[in-house]
Each structure stands twice: as structure tokens, then as C-alpha cells.
Amino acid sequence: MQTKITTNISEAIDLLNRDEVVALPTETVYGLAGNALSTKAVAKIFEAKQRPHFNPLIVHVASINEIEKYAQLNELSYKLASTFMPGPLTLLLPKKDNIPSLVTAGSSKVAIRIPAHPVMPAILQQLSFPLAAPSANTFKYVSPVTAQHVYKTLHNKIPLIIDGGISTVGLESTIIEVQEEEVVLHRVGGLAIETIETFFGKKLIKASNKKVQTAGQIKSHYATHTPLYFGEINDRINEFKNKNIAIISLNKYFEGIEKEHHYLLSIDGDLNQAAQNLFTILQSIDEKAYDIILADEFPNTGLGVAINDRLSRAQVIHK
Ligand code: TXA
Ligand code: MG
């Protein structure tokens, strides 16, 4: 199957109406979209991505009204949706019967979001169904933030990629769930935790503390082919003296490694800019002839939390 890259959304609409899957831009990362109400289309998503069926998919809609067609919003989740959507937030909600259990991996809850990038809403407005879409990469590889990244791992596996430029957030959505009076955090992502906590007036509870299972928390995810080590850079520079090393950091240079092998995600130390650059830089380093990547720890605030999460799960050694 030849994969075409275009900006013409009518071709995507046509394919989606025929149960095909297409890659679409969002402001977080590119998604591999299909009719969420069609098990045939959803099965094609899992197949193209080589993704195990126990890992559920996020459903994308264009408005809060549409969320209510497929899931139940209580007062607090409604407020969260109206404050942060469209945007890099996903809500995990009790699902209605029209969402196939293949989408949710058998769970009674569905993850839903409204993307802010204009392409998906424009397409959704012309469809009679919502779109299930995981990130448009093969399972476990770094998420795509350009049409070219999608092409790299999915060419010949999908018919079409809509090119909507670079994803401006650059990290997958933050996933939360309202449970009684608490908000549970399932995945850190493109909406900073502090922003939600300020709105909510309380700390979020981490899903792992509540023993809530979240499939996307699989370790070894977002991984480059080049082995990546996270943290303790100076020790590793010593340890790997004879190797070709690439360094990723916010804006710091390390002794013993030439400047050209440092990949700074934001000279100004801006964590939003660093998030936007992260996956592009990981993929471009992966295309060069480095033996290893050493990634620095980022400040653990704002989007730095999600950057550290992705880097720690991209590493070869899990602690
Ligand atoms: O920003 C994003 O969220 C992107 C864009 C394309 O929207 N999508 C994305 O999808 O990151 P994906 O499939 O790579 O990650 C979705 C994660 C799953 O791995 C799982 O952790 C969680 O969302 N998830 C989805 N449905 C769920 C459910 N019913 N219960 C628990 N977790 C769920
Ligand atoms: Mg993914």
C-alpha cells in the first residue's frame, strides 16, 4: 500500500467513511485515526500499529456535547472539560454502550479528548462518528510530531497522512479521571499538573498510588533505537569514553563532549519549547550514527515533569 501525504482533508474523510485508518495531526502528537464505533476500523488501528489489544485507545470528538454522546460527565468532569478542552487533556470517563469494548480494552471507562489543532475538528464535523486514535507510530517507538515522522514508521501500512505541520505541544495529552471528590492522574503530558491543581484547588492523586491500572504506563515506551540513558550524565560520559555520544539537555553543556554533539531543547530554558522539540530531536539523533544517547534530567516542574517521564521510559535500563 502506497502511503500518500497531503493537506486535502476530503481524502481523509472519504477513507474514514470506508473504515480505513489515516494519520491526522493534533497539537500533542499525530494520531492514527479510525471510526471509533466500527470494530473493523479499530482492528485496523491495532494492526497497523502492531499494538497489543490490552492497550486501550483515546476517542476524539469535536465538542463537549459529543463527549456526552459517548460518556458520562459529572459536574467536576464537565467543569474540567469546559476549562481545558480543546487542548492537551484527556478525561477518563464512564463509557456509554455505543463505544465498542475493543476501544477500551474491555474497560467500562473510555478516554476522550477534544484536539485543538484545527484538522481533526474540521474532519469530525463532517463525520457521523468519533475517531479513535493512538499516537501514529509503531508500538513503543517515539511519538510522531510531523507527517514525516509518521511516514518513517507507518509507510506502506496506511493509505494517507494529513500534513498539518509540527505539533505545537509535542507531548501526548495529560490523562486524568474524576473519582468522587478526587482527580486521579493517569498519565503526565502536555497539560501541566500545576495548571490542573490550581484550577482544582487540590493535589492530584497519582494512579500508581491508587493501584489503578493504566496500560499506557508500560515501561519501555517512546524508545529510540539508539540506547538511551537518563540522568547521571557525568558518570556515563566516563563509563562510555570510547563511544559516540549524543547529549540531550535543556540548555546545559557537559565537559568531555564536543558542542556539536549536544542537543539543547531550549537555549532559553523554556520547558514548553523543550517539549515541542523533544520527539523531533530524539528521532533526528536516532537517524545519526551515535552509539548512545545521554539525556539530562529536566527541571521537575511544568512540562518538565512529562519530559522526564518520557525520557525515563525511553531508557535502556529501568530502575
Ligand atoms: O495526545 C494524545 O493523547 C495522543 C493524540 C493522538 O490524541 N494520543 C495518544 O494515544 O497518546 P496513545 O494510544 O499513544 O496513548 C493512549 C493511552 C493508553 O496507552 C492508555 O494508557 C490510556 O491512553 N487510555 C486510553 N483509554 C483508556 C482506558 N479506557 N482506560 C485507561 N487508560 C486508557
Ligand atoms: Mg503512544
Side-chain angles (χ1 to χ4, degrees):
M1 180 189 312
Q2 282 279 9
T3 303
K4 182 175 167 184
I5 302 182
T6 178
T7 56
N8 179 5
I9 65 166
S10 63
E11 291 184 46
I13 291 163
D14 182 48
L15 286 161
L16 290 164
N17 272 319
R18 289 192 278 122
D19 277 342
E20 295 297 336
V21 298
V22 299
L24 302 177
T26 89
E27 77 282 16
T28 56
V29 300
Y30 275 62
L32 182 59
N35 179 351
L37 306 183
S38 156
T39 48
K40 189 173 163 200
V42 173
K44 283 186 186 168
I45 296 175
F46 282 102
E47 191 188 311
K49 239 188 107 85
Q50 295 168 275
R51 174 170 170 136
H53 285 94
F54 61 75
N55 200 355
L57 307 178
I58 294 176
V59 171
H60 298 69
V61 295
S63 68
I64 295 181
N65 271 350
E66 275 174 52
I67 294 181
E68 293 191 296
K69 282 194 205 163
Y70 307 108
Q72 281 153 19
L73 283 172
N74 65 16
E75 204 182 317
L76 181 53
S77 48
Y78 188 92
K79 270 195 205 157
L80 285 161
S82 30
T83 308
F84 297 112
M85 294 184 180
L89 178 72
T90 294
L91 284 174
L92 191 58
L93 300 164
K95 83 175 193 74
K96 294 193 172 166
D97 287 344
N98 47 10
I99 295 292
S101 61
L102 184 60
V103 171
T104 65
S107 166
S108 59
K109 293 170 191 165
V110 61
I112 301 197
R113 84 178 197 94
I114 307 175
H117 188 292
V119 161
M120 256 225 222
I123 290 175
L124 283 162
Q125 268 150 26
Q126 298 192 52
L127 295 174
S128 60
F129 46 80
L131 292 171
S135 51
N137 51 286
T138 43
F139 187 54
K140 290 188 176 175
Y141 193 63
V142 183
S143 296
V145 294
T146 64
Q148 289 67 35
H149 291 160
V150 178
Y151 190 85
K152 208 163 78 178
T153 67
L154 291 179
H155 68 269
N156 299 336
K157 297 198 175 100
I158 58 172
L160 192 74
I161 301 168
I162 298 290
D163 189 347
I166 188 161
S167 300
T168 52
V169 175
L171 291 171
E172 298 83 352
S173 58
T174 300
I175 305 179
I176 60 171
E177 178 186 5
V178 174
Q179 284 186 359
E180 288 149 28
E181 297 305 303
E182 305 292 347
V183 176
V184 177
L185 176 67
H186 287 270
R187 177 175 74 184
V188 292
L191 182 63
I193 296 169
E194 297 93 319
T195 309
I196 306 170
E197 288 180 340
T198 303
F199 165 81
F200 182 46
K202 257 209 247 190
K203 289 272 173 208
L204 303 187
I205 295 177
K206 294 214 172 77
S208 51
N209 295 347
K210 277 204 121 191
K211 295 205 162 70
V212 179
Q213 275 251 316
T214 308
Q217 301 300 15
I218 302 173
K219 284 190 170 174
S220 175
H221 220 107
Y222 316 103
T224 45
H225 300 306
T226 315
L228 183 147
Y229 295 81
F230 179 53
E232 296 159 9
I233 293 203
N234 289 316
D235 293 349
R236 304 254 192 236
I237 291 175
N238 252 331
E239 186 182 339
F240 296 113
K241 275 202 261 328
N242 305 319
K243 303 264 186 199
N244 284 325
I245 297 174
I247 289 188
I248 291 185
S249 77
L250 179 59
N251 56 3
K252 189 159 90 192
Y253 288 100
F254 288 82
E255 239 173 82
I257 301 292
E258 281 168 43
K259 257 190 157 174
E260 63 179 295
H261 302 306
H262 282 79
Y263 296 82
L264 308 187
L265 298 195
S266 170
I267 303 269
D268 303 329
D270 174 345
L271 289 168
N272 293 340
Q273 189 184 33
Q276 193 192 29
N277 289 331
L278 177 67
F279 291 150
T280 302
I281 288 189
L282 280 175
Q283 302 213 25
S284 78
I285 293 175
D286 223 8
E287 282 164 10
K288 300 186 174 133
Y290 287 107
D291 299 322
I292 56 169
I293 303 169
L294 302 183
D296 196 14
E297 249 177 76
F298 283 65
N300 222 24
T301 97
L303 295 195
V305 178
I307 295 174
N308 285 332
D309 171 76
R310 301 304 189 267
L311 288 172
S312 73
R313 286 198 276 144
Q315 69 187 324
V316 279
I317 301 168
H318 295 289
K319 290 173 196 156

